[in-house]
Amino acid sequence: MKRYLCFMIMIFVLILAGCSHEHQWADATCVEPKTCIECGETEGEALGHQWVEATCTEAKHCSRCGETEGVPLEHDWEEATCTEAKHCRICGYADGDPLGHDWADATHEAPKTCKRCGETEGTVLLYDVPAGFTKEYEFGEFSKFNSNASENGLGGTMIWLNGSYENVSTLDISADLGRKMNAFISVLTDQEGNQWLVQIDLDYYTSIEKYSNLCGHSLCILCEYQGFSGVYEMPAVIVEKIYDMNTGNIIEPEWYASM
Ligand SMILES: [Zn+2]
Ligand SMILES: [Zn+2]
Ligand SMILES: [Zn+2]
Ligand SMILES: [Zn+2]
């Protein structure tokens, strides 16, 4: 009987000890709830994976435990161009370098042009002014002509200018001449950025198109200095001949052709 009692007490102590042990909790993980490492008791739920979607270089994976699912996506390649390297349309990863332009030299008809993408640089190859073209003329040094001609006596001086103009307009001078006449005028900007009032033609019947076609071209203009225009506040000239360095053409006004 004494032995039995002892046994019962031992069992009782064991049960007591079993019930009152301090759980040694291991934190919950993606797949296991919070668990006592001694008795296996659990509390709560597993956390579940924190999935990060697959990218070109990484498979879908859990940001907490690193578990993966499937394989990385493949790069979706966009082939290299002149200015962009071969690169992935999804992640932008670049492989290698841009191809660089494949330039064809400028010609008289086309500027320097990439044979691959058509990009252009600069202008068409200009023609040189023919030798002797300016021989009878003096260079139109702006500072010399940018004053009143009647004072400096330069009116009628034959000069040449290099530059370009952006548009041509007509000036009705019928009232002055007593018959139907237009003057074509334009503002030429020379290589130093100075502006000259250029009177191109006096013929009402000449197409303005001929001179409009020269807009934006590099021109060498032979002309006669008319004096300083107080109205336009720039030196005025009348065109004798235009050499178009873009086309190599020489344009001559048809002076009073229909008179
Ligand atoms: Zn426990
Ligand atoms: Zn996980
Ligand atoms: Zn990619
Ligand atoms: Zn190119």
Side-chain angles (χ1 to χ4, degrees), residues 144-222:
K144 184 173 170 186
F145 296 95
N146 190 22
S147 60
N148 196 308
S150 60
E151 284 172 14
N152 59 31
L154 290 170
T157 307
M158 308 304 278
I159 59 175
W160 63 272
L161 304 166
N162 271 354
S164 63
Y165 58 73
E166 296 308 317
N167 56 60
V168 181
S169 55
T170 54
L171 192 65
D172 189 349
I173 53 169
S174 305
D176 297 341
L177 300 180
R179 51 172 292 161
K180 216 167 187 204
M181 294 292 286
N182 266 347
F184 293 174
I185 59 164
S186 189
V187 174
L188 177 125
T189 305
D190 69 22
Q191 286 170 325
E192 274 84 50
N194 302 308
Q195 295 197 307
W196 302 73
L197 182 68
V198 173
Q199 193 163 289
I200 297 171
D201 204 346
L202 288 173
D203 187 348
Y204 190 84
Y205 302 98
T206 301
S207 168
I208 198 168
E209 203 185 332
K210 177 160 81 174
Y211 301 104
S212 296
N213 285 343
L214 303 181
C215 288
H217 286 198
S218 290
L219 308 172
C220 179
I221 297 184
L222 306 185

Side-chain angles (χ1 to χ4, degrees), residues 55-57 73-77 87-93:
T55 65
C56 296
T57 50
L73 303 173
E74 305 245 306
H75 287 302
D76 181 13
W77 294 114
H87 65 277
C88 173
R89 292 187 191 94
I90 299 166
C91 71
Y93 175 76

Side-chain angles (χ1 to χ4, degrees), residues 81-83 99-103 113-120:
T81 65
C82 295
T83 52
L99 300 173
H101 294 297
D102 184 11
W103 294 115
T113 305
C114 175
K115 288 180 246 175
R116 194 178 297 116
C117 72
E119 171 98 1
T120 64

Side-chain angles (χ1 to χ4, degrees), residues 16 29 52 79 83 90 97 102 104 108 113 122 125 130 160 195 203 205 223 240 252 254 259:
L16 264 181
T29 65
V52 174
E79 287 307 315
T83 52
I90 299 166
D97 296 311
D102 184 11
H108 290 302
T113 305
L125 192 64
W160 63 272
Q195 295 197 307
D203 187 348
Y205 302 98
C223 49
E240 296 279 319
E252 288 183 71
E254 296 146 32
M259 286 179 95

